């Protein structure tokens, strides 16, 4: 990627608020950064015990996610609302103001990393000589490496350097998976926890060198702009942006409980086996979420924020169009998952991980996870709209509601995990998402109350009953046709029926939603 290319990205990309173009790059990033681990996970599950997989999929994942989410999520949310390219000031000066705020995520992250490490040591009653403790420290170091690249990540996202993120995150993911594979396949005398921690460090180091290497080698900005704290730098900080960062950071504590609360309860109350089952289902079931919904939520948030921050005469109409298109797409994907996911959960787990996992609780948990997907789809997009266009007071009220939802969610997790295990956690997640969707939906209706153009019913894709009929058909054939003892011959029959239903459903939906689907498939730059 050349310096000229970077400059074109900053100028050309910066003027675009096109949802499909941003989604294209973010989806490609997620496809590679999530698809590579998915392929790798199929191999690693067969070479780890349940206890080791619980470490890999739940415990260490929870530690790293908590540290990084609390450290940077608030800064990412707030800084994406800052459309400084529309300002008359020079780009370098505005970038320096943005970085002056973004750099605050680093000391905050170091403090949170130290606090989280000490909490684990105290809770587990372990010393520094324990391999688990050493793995936690290595994971903490990996988090700090990622956080040192965070200011430049925020800057690159604000400048829409989407290809840079695609390259760096893909390389980092590939390095992490390769490191894990080499260390496990070589069968060296090393604790599995240390192996996973070293792999995470390789990931963090690649992000650090990737972002810093780009901005230093191609000199997109001067070094004095990248380090706006040096003596003599006259650039002041943006107090409104700083306040918004703190507001979103406080909100992230509550969102973390809602996002990772089930894993906290799982680690606290349940066995390593159930942790491994949930980790397996979460990694497999959330693949659609990570590949499709997560990049779409990010691109939707950026599009909503930039459209809301402008002074376009038809701003409300543009926001209505963007929101309708976003909700229609995620609902279409979610309905496909609901129609075919439960009927093929057992087959998918058996094909990927073997009968050891498919004949246990994992298949049932994955069926429930497929139903959970539609709530994730609705919540991600509606909350992205609320956070992008809401005022400071509205976001504060949203924070208060999240606190209430967090408490309800934790109680549901504790109650349902005792009665239904991993399935109970998924049910608790569904109920939590329903509450959050209702809150966001009320906000959206109030926001568009002066316009009669927006309707949630218009977000439902045409032809959706065909998908539900397909779901009933495929679920029935699984019960009637699929034989666990004679798996392969009966699976091909079951698969053929499902593929036929999918083709019919796709044809019906395409006929009724042709303009919308063509727009998504082509990813053409257009102005609404």
């Amino acid at each position: 990627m050349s310096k000229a290319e970077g400059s074109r990205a900053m100028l050309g990309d910066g003027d675009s608020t096109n949802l499909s173009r941003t989604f294209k790059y973010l989806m490609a990033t997620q496809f590679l950064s999530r698809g590579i681990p998915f392929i790798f996970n199929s191999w690693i599950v067969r070479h780890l015990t349940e206890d080791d997989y619980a470490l890999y999929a739940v415990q260490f994942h929870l530690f790293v996610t908590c540290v990084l989410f609390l450290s940077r999520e608030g800064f990412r949310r707030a800084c994406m609302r800052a459309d400084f390219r529309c300002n008359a000031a020079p780009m370098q000066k505005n970038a320096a103001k943005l970085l002056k705020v973004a750099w605050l995520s680093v000391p905050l992250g170091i403090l949170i990393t130290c606090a989280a490490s000490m909490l684990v040591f105290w809770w587990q009653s372990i010393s520094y000589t324990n391999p688990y403790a050493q793995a936690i420290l290595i994971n903490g170091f990996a988090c700090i490496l990622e956080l040192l690249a965070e200011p430049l990540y925020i800057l690159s996202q604000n400048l829409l350097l989407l290809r840079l993120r695609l390259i760096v995150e893909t390389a980092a993911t590939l390095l992490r998976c390769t490191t894990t594979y080499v260390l496990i396949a070589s069968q060296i005398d090393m604790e599995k926890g240390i192996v996973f921690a070293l792999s995470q460090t390789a990931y963090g180091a690649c992000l650090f060198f990737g972002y810093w290497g780009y901005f230093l080698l191609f000199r997109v900005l001067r070094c004095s702009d990248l380090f706006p704290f040096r003596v003599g730098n006259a650039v002041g900080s943006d107090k409104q942006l700083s306040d918004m960062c703190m507001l979103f950071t406080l909100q992230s504590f509550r969102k973390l409980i809602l996002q990772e609360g089930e894993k906290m309860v799982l680690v606290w109350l349940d066995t390593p086996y159930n942790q491994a089952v949930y980790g397996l289902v979460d990694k497999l079931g959330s693949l659609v979420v990570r590949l499709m919904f997560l990049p779409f939520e990010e691109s939707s948030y950026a599009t909503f924020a930039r459209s809301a921050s402008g002074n376009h005469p038809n701003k409300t109409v543009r926001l209505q169009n963007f929101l309708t298109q976003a909700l229609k797409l995620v609902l279409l994907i979610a309905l496909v998952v609901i129609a075919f996911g439960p009927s093929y959960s057992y087959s998918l787990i058996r094909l990927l991980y073997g009968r050891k996992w498919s004949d246990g609780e994992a298949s049932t948990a994955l069926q429930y996870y497929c139903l959970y997907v539609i709530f994730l789809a609705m919540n991600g997009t509606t909350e992205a709209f609320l956070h992008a266009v809401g005022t400071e007071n509205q976001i504060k009220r949203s924070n208060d509601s999240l606190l209430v939802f967090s408490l309800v969610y934790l109680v549901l997790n504790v109650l349902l995990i005792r009665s239904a295990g991993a399935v109970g956690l998924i049910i608790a997640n569904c109920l939590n998402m329903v509450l959050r969707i209702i809150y966001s939906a009320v906000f959206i209706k109030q926001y568009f109350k002066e316009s009669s153009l927006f309707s949630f019913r218009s977000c439902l894709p045409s032809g959706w009953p065909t998908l539900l009929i397909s779901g009933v058909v495929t679920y029935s054939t699984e019960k009637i046709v699929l034989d666990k003892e004679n798996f392969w011959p009966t699976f091909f029959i079951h698969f053929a029926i499902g593929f036929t239903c999918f083709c019919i459903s796709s044809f019906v939906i395409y006929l009724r939603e042709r303009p919308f689907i063509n727009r998504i498939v082509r990813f053409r730059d257009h102005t609404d």
Side-chain angles (χ1 to χ4, degrees), residues 5 117 206 231 265 308 320-321 328 335 366 414 444 466 501 527:
E5 183 181 352
S117 301
C206 191
V231 177
V265 174
Q320 288 174 347
N321 290 336
K328 182 176 288 189
L335 287 171
L366 184 58
V414 172
I444 291 170
T466 311
C501 290
T527 302

Side-chain angles (χ1 to χ4, degrees), residues 369-384:
Y369 201 101
C370 292
L371 302 177
Y372 171 50
V373 163
I374 193 167
F375 300 109
L376 283 171
M378 283 287 292
N379 179 70
T381 304
T382 54
E383 277 197 350

Side-chain angles (χ1 to χ4, degrees), residues 203-221:
Y203 179 84
C206 191
L207 291 180
F208 174 81
F209 287 112
Y211 282 108
W212 278 102
Y214 175 79
F215 280 94
L216 292 177
L217 291 176
F218 296 113
R219 298 186 178 278
V220 177
L221 294 172

Side-chain angles (χ1 to χ4, degrees), residues 92-129:
Q92 287 82 3
K93 183 177 180 180
N94 285 322
K97 289 180 68 175
L98 181 75
L99 285 171
K100 202 158 192 175
V101 175
W103 267 107
L104 297 177
S105 63
V106 176
L108 175 64
I110 293 174
L111 287 175
I112 292 175
T113 302
C114 295
S117 301
M118 293 173 62
L119 177 64
V120 173
F121 286 2
W122 170 78
W123 177 56
Q124 296 278 13
S125 301
I126 53 179
S127 63
Y128 297 101
T129 57

